[in-house]
Amino acid sequence: ERTDFGRKRGATYNGIMYLCIRFFVNNLINNMMKIAVPTKDERVDDHFGHCDHYTIFTIEDNKIVNRETMESPQGCGCKSGIAADLQKMGVVMMLAGNMGEGAKNKLNAHNIDVIRGCSGNVDELVESYLEGKIVDSGLGCSEHECGDHHNHEGIKLFHKD
């Protein structure tokens, strides 16, 4: 049985519902949102904190109306000022390959929701997100190494069925 917004279904269900509601409320109020994607060579970079740059998509009426890039600061994502910079730009969603809990918490503290487990071409990813086909993998880095990061092979784009 479900009570009070799916409480018995668990944290993952509640998290997905929260993201869906936030997306639709934001869309209803503003009809605009910004999405950031850690990028390298037009693809989702495996690790948000060490990406080449961020691709920032402006969405209006559920369509991409602008695409810009922002250079990635040097150093680890959770220790850089990237979360504040993205918030100032109006970013409310990060679609990422993988990231540590510290970085995810830092982004969340700046009112930026995070969906992890993304991969592939950044344009196709954002289109899939706008179609409601992307869900958070729930996987994060279990270690934190600011030098040579561990391998993130096997991270796949998670589509809703």
Side-chain angles (χ1 to χ4, degrees):
E1 290 179 23
R2 229 176 61 190
T3 61
D4 295 335
F5 195 65
R7 190 179 335 163
K8 289 190 177 182
R9 291 193 187 238
T12 302
Y13 177 81
N14 286 338
I16 291 168
M17 290 303 296
Y18 169 78
L19 290 174
C20 290
I21 289 169
R22 180 159 179 180
F23 173 78
F24 288 113
V25 167
N26 188 27
N27 234 0
L28 288 173
I29 294 170
N30 301 325
N31 259 354
M32 188 197 82
M33 71 181 299
K34 287 192 177 184
I35 300 170
V37 182
T39 307
K40 181 178 183 179
D41 300 327
E42 296 301 311
R43 300 184 64 76
V44 177
D45 204 321
D46 287 340
H47 199 289
F48 137 87
H50 296 276
C51 68
D52 180 63
H53 64 277
Y54 296 91
T55 304
I56 312 294
F57 294 88
T58 302
I59 311 301
E60 287 183 15
D61 296 322
N62 217 35
K63 293 184 175 90
I64 298 170
V65 296
N66 192 32
R67 183 183 196 269
E68 57 191 303
T69 60
M70 182 176 107
E71 291 301 313
S72 178
Q74 294 298 314
C76 214
C78 64
K79 295 177 183 168
S80 73
I82 191 64
D85 293 342
L86 291 169
Q87 183 182 35
K88 287 177 191 170
M89 292 181 71
V91 172
V92 297
M93 177 61 68
M94 170 75 68
L95 303 178
N98 203 356
M99 69 176 61
E101 286 301 312
K104 181 180 179 300
N105 293 339
K106 178 81 89 168
L107 288 164
N108 290 162
H110 284 86
N111 298 313
I112 299 172
D113 292 319
V114 177
I115 295 180
R116 298 162 296 180
C118 301
S119 64
N121 177 278
V122 295
D123 295 303
E124 292 172 9
L125 170 66
V126 172
E127 289 292 343
S128 291
Y129 172 75
L130 295 174
E131 293 170 4
K133 296 179 180 176
I134 307 299
V135 296
D136 186 71
S137 68
L139 301 174
C141 294
S142 58
E143 304 173 25
H144 190 277
E145 306 167 8
C146 271
D148 297 319
H149 266 59
H150 48 282
N151 189 349
H152 292 292
E153 283 184 35
I155 301 295
K156 302 293 181 216
L157 181 64
F158 282 77
H159 286 277
K160 283 197 308 193
D161 293 330

